[in-house]
Amino acid sequence: MASLAGYTMLIHPNETAPVAAASAAAPRRVRLGDVLLQQNLLSPEQLDEALAQQRGSGKKLGRVLIEAGLITEEALAHALARQLRVPVVNLKSFPVRSETVRLLPESPARRFRVLVLEDKGEHLLVGFADPLDLFAYDEVCRLLKRPVRVAVVPESQLPPALDRHYRRTDEISGLAKALEKDIGDAVDFGALEASVGQEGAPVVRLLQSVFEDALQVGASDVHLEPQEAALVIRSRIDGMLQTQTQADKRIAPALAQRLKLMAGLDISEKRLPQDGRFSLRLRERQVDVRLSTLPTPYGESVVMRLLGQGDALRRLDDIGLPADLLARLREILGRHAGMLLVTGPTGSGKTTTLYAALASLDAEQHKIITVEDPIEYRLPGLTQVQVNDKIELGFARVLRATLRQDPDVILVGEIRDTETAEIGLRAAITGHLVLSSLHTRDAASTPFRLIDMGVPPFMVASSLQAVVAQRLVRMNCEHCAEPHPVGAQEAAWLAALGAEPGAEQPLRGRGCSQCNGTGYTGRIGVYEMLEFDAALAQATIHADPAAFGALARERMRGRTMAHRALDLVRAGRTSLAEAMRLAGD
């Protein structure tokens, strides 16, 4: 049977019946090239050239045409749909529901490249990447046990749609049930430890499916949470937790035990929190996993942060920095001494910003050393050091050694204690550009966070050049964003920022198949920057938070994170609800 990108296809004269082996009308064979010529989508010369390329490559004619740029995948789908008299469905805008998609099990959906699009009651509308595959059609009809109407979908749109709607839920639930049967009422941890090398064990397959699902949907964290009645597995996607599945709580100790073994932790210790890390290779990607365990009344809660080694390094130009802030930040990065701090809560994108700053520097002319835990991006031309507290190789010790390596620029992944802060600030005073991160709420509170840690005020005042504070907000789904009325609370928030009443026309996603019904896809950074000047330095030396705060508000008037978030609302990139959530963090 020819494929959608094949040279021949079967055409049925019956307008309402889909292509099927059971059709009463005899099919007639038509060449794809003839169809494209009849519809003026190709010239005879182009067809001859493509046929010659096909004979040399052995590929399907349709694929040769697409790769040569002679026809688009969408145009090919429309040409076939016109001949078959069936609709073409654009999966980027069609409102597909996950419960409808899952009427067909995941395995045959991926095998036959089909997606159940809509339940019409009397029949199901099913999208086929290859609407001419009679075997696939017959199998789909048999599995669905419902009348099926065929639609054509562009083949490249299918994999991401399948990933969004299936998310390995059935596979994970099935593996969890298999593990329940293996474990029974009691967990034999000795036997579990002895089975580390058995890759076919249910616990291994379950964890692999959980990790693959997390990578598939772009999750930043995976949470295994034992509750009174069940084990809840959740993933953090675009900053929000989404429940993946619930399983029998008896399997929680087995999962925690295996993960602790992978991270080299003490499997006999279940009363104290533990931290560790390990690396995985999944779907041709290297992933570092930071693991944290926490004892609870129902077992150990496990949270894993996923750090993709293969993730592309972002540039300063494409992380959402406003033009005025970007220009000032570039000027600061051009200096030869001083400290630049990037602040915000966990998961706010601080590391991304720091590495984007490093990428803007000339590594050939500067000695750049990074001190990190862990190394999240590996960059050529840099000297990167991983701290290891187990062998007493902490930030402070590595930083002291770094200063003897004649560096121009030093990146300290995070300032966690007074000793690290003092060494970093002293390095900034003595002719080094130091970049680091700190957990603070906003830019104005950062100097006094350092002072609270025990750093002398004069050292902060003389070293700190600027503070960039940041958060991440979810972006409106471009497929379903629509005008959203402003409520009373939202109007009050806008008024507090100086917006004119009724002047704003915010957008908000209503929820569609592209965003899993959330109304949002992806996140973007929101930033504010406070540059130090003589007056701010003087207020810092005198440890006067009130005077410093007043000066900081004056310096950042109209350019705080709340104002930057409002700018994104006005540009339609995020919703008013997201901007207000950021302001409340």
Side-chain angles (χ1 to χ4, degrees):
M1 188 64 229
S3 73
L4 176 63
Y7 181 61
T8 62
M9 64 181 186
L10 299 179
I11 303 295
H12 285 260
N14 188 337
E15 179 175 349
T16 58
V19 181
S23 175
R28 56 190 176 88
R29 188 169 295 275
V30 178
R31 295 187 302 180
L32 176 58
D34 291 339
V35 172
L36 299 177
L37 288 175
Q38 290 169 11
Q39 298 187 25
N40 296 319
L41 294 172
L42 282 182
S43 68
E45 294 77 13
Q46 288 174 324
L47 178 58
D48 290 340
E49 183 180 347
L51 288 171
Q53 291 181 21
Q54 181 202 21
R55 287 189 290 270
S57 66
K59 296 179 180 179
K60 302 287 188 179
L61 176 60
R63 181 53 50 195
V64 171
L65 293 170
I66 292 169
E67 291 178 356
L70 296 174
I71 190 171
T72 65
E73 186 180 53
E74 290 74 15
L76 179 60
H78 279 280
L80 292 174
R82 281 192 290 270
Q83 290 290 340
L84 296 173
R85 295 188 288 273
V86 297
V88 175
V89 171
N90 182 353
L91 294 179
K92 293 181 179 179
S93 57
F94 193 86
V96 182
R97 299 172 63 88
S98 292
E99 55 267 30
T100 303
V101 170
R102 291 174 185 161
L103 291 174
L104 183 67
E106 179 178 3
S107 179
R110 292 186 182 276
R111 177 186 174 191
F112 299 125
R113 295 173 299 152
V114 300
L115 191 75
V116 183
L117 300 170
E118 195 171 10
D119 188 345
K120 292 285 193 178
E122 69 278 4
H123 69 270
L124 296 170
L125 181 65
V126 180
F128 284 74
D130 182 357
L132 309 170
D133 188 338
L134 297 181
F135 177 75
Y137 175 81
D138 289 341
E139 284 297 295
V140 169
C141 289
R142 182 181 66 80
L143 292 167
L144 290 173
K145 298 181 176 62
R146 297 272 298 278
V148 168
R149 293 289 176 87
V150 174
V152 183
V153 295
E155 187 170 3
S156 65
Q157 294 182 10
L158 259 180
L162 292 170
D163 288 347
R164 278 195 306 273
H165 293 290
Y166 283 107
R167 288 199 53 195
R168 301 179 179 270
T169 301
D170 295 339
E171 178 184 344
I172 291 173
S173 298
L175 289 169
K177 291 185 182 299
L179 183 57
E180 292 166 21
K181 294 178 182 178
D182 276 11
I183 290 175
D185 292 328
V187 177
D188 183 353
F189 291 124
L192 186 66
E193 181 178 1
S195 69
V196 170
Q198 298 176 6
E199 293 301 318
V203 65
V204 175
R205 295 201 304 271
L206 174 56
L207 288 173
Q208 181 176 345
S209 294
V210 168
F211 283 123
E212 287 181 346
D213 172 73
L215 291 180
Q216 182 174 291
V217 297
S220 60
D221 303 83
V222 175
H223 294 234
L224 307 182
E225 302 168 331
Q227 305 293 336
E228 183 176 10
L231 169 67
V232 180
I233 301 177
R234 300 197 290 174
S235 300
R236 189 175 295 279
I237 304 168
D238 289 340
M240 297 294 177
L241 283 171
Q242 297 182 14
T243 298
Q244 165 59 283
T245 191
Q246 295 191 17
D248 192 311
K249 66 179 182 180
R250 293 176 299 174
I251 73 172
L255 295 178
Q257 197 82 353
R258 172 53 61 90
L259 289 167
K260 289 163 72 175
L261 283 169
M262 295 167 68
L265 302 181
D266 184 356
I267 60 173
S268 66
E269 180 57 75
K270 299 184 287 293
R271 300 166 301 170
L272 297 174
Q274 295 189 67
D275 296 301
R277 62 175 56 87
F278 57 90
S279 294
L280 294 173
R281 186 162 187 82
L282 291 171
R283 304 179 71 176
E284 300 183 354
R285 287 184 60 189
Q286 185 76 18
V287 181
D288 286 339
V289 181
R290 282 192 288 181
L291 179 144
S292 171
T293 69
L294 186 69
T296 75
Y298 307 110
E300 289 181 281
S301 173
V302 180
V303 176
M304 292 168 285
R305 168 65 58 88
L306 309 182
L307 305 169
Q309 286 290 344
D311 293 344
L313 181 66
R314 306 284 295 276
R315 301 285 175 175
L316 284 175
D317 294 324
D318 59 14
I319 62 174
L321 288 167
D324 61 320
L325 194 154
L326 176 60
R328 295 302 307 147
L329 184 58
R330 289 191 187 281
E331 194 277 328
I332 292 168
L333 291 171
R335 298 174 186 174
H336 298 292
M339 176 176 280
L340 170 67
L341 284 177
V342 179
T343 73
T346 300
S348 60
K350 299 186 296 295
T351 301
T352 299
T353 300
L354 286 171
Y355 269 98
L358 281 185
S360 70
L361 301 175
D362 187 347
E364 289 190 9
Q365 296 186 9
H366 296 89
K367 173 77 170 183
I368 302 176
I369 301 179
T370 73
V371 185
E372 306 169 72
D373 182 24
I375 297 173
E376 295 193 26
Y377 298 91
R378 301 186 188 276
L379 300 180
L382 274 62
T383 302
Q384 297 180 272
V385 183
Q386 166 96 39
V387 304
N388 187 343
D389 291 327
K390 291 182 179 179
I391 59 172
E392 298 183 357
L393 189 67
F395 276 105
R397 184 173 183 179
V398 176
L399 198 49
R400 286 195 198 93
T402 295
L403 294 174
R404 296 192 289 271
Q405 292 280 309
D406 188 29
D408 297 298
V409 181
I410 303 171
L411 169 68
V412 182
E414 183 181 343
I415 293 178
R416 297 179 179 175
D417 53 52
T418 305
E419 188 178 14
T420 303
E422 288 189 355
I423 297 172
L425 289 166
R426 192 171 292 113
I429 294 174
T430 56
H432 305 87
L433 179 62
V434 180
L435 312 181
S436 190
S437 69
L438 190 67
H439 288 257
T440 62
R441 177 182 173 83
D442 53 29
S445 62
T446 300
F448 292 92
R449 172 73 183 98
L450 291 170
I451 292 172
D452 288 343
M453 291 173 68
V455 178
F458 80 89
M459 188 176 290
V460 177
S462 56
S463 304
L464 205 53
Q465 297 290 311
V467 179
V468 176
Q470 67 179 79
R471 298 287 193 282
L472 295 175
V473 294
R474 293 180 294 172
M475 293 190 292
N476 286 328
C477 174
E478 61 182 16
H479 301 284
C480 65
E482 58 188 17
H484 182 73
V486 177
Q489 188 176 4
E490 294 170 329
W493 185 78
L494 289 169
L497 292 180
E500 295 182 12
E504 308 300 332
Q505 293 290 326
L507 299 179
R508 183 171 182 173
R510 67 177 181 278
C512 67
S513 62
Q514 296 297 305
C515 58
N516 274 337
T518 64
Y520 301 98
T521 52
R523 292 188 291 174
I524 190 172
V526 182
Y527 307 87
E528 67 181 20
M529 186 168 76
L530 178 63
E531 288 189 69
F532 265 59
D533 56 22
L536 288 170
Q538 195 66 23
T540 303
I541 290 174
H542 289 97
D544 188 346
F548 186 93
L551 289 169
R553 287 190 294 273
E554 179 184 335
R555 304 293 191 273
M556 294 191 297
R557 183 177 292 121
R559 294 176 295 171
T560 64
M561 277 191 287
H563 288 95
R564 302 292 193 184
L566 179 56
D567 290 340
L568 292 175
V569 172
R570 287 168 172 162
R573 304 195 70 181
T574 192
S575 68
L576 200 48
E578 272 294 286
M580 292 177 65
R581 183 179 66 83
L582 173 145
D585 283 349

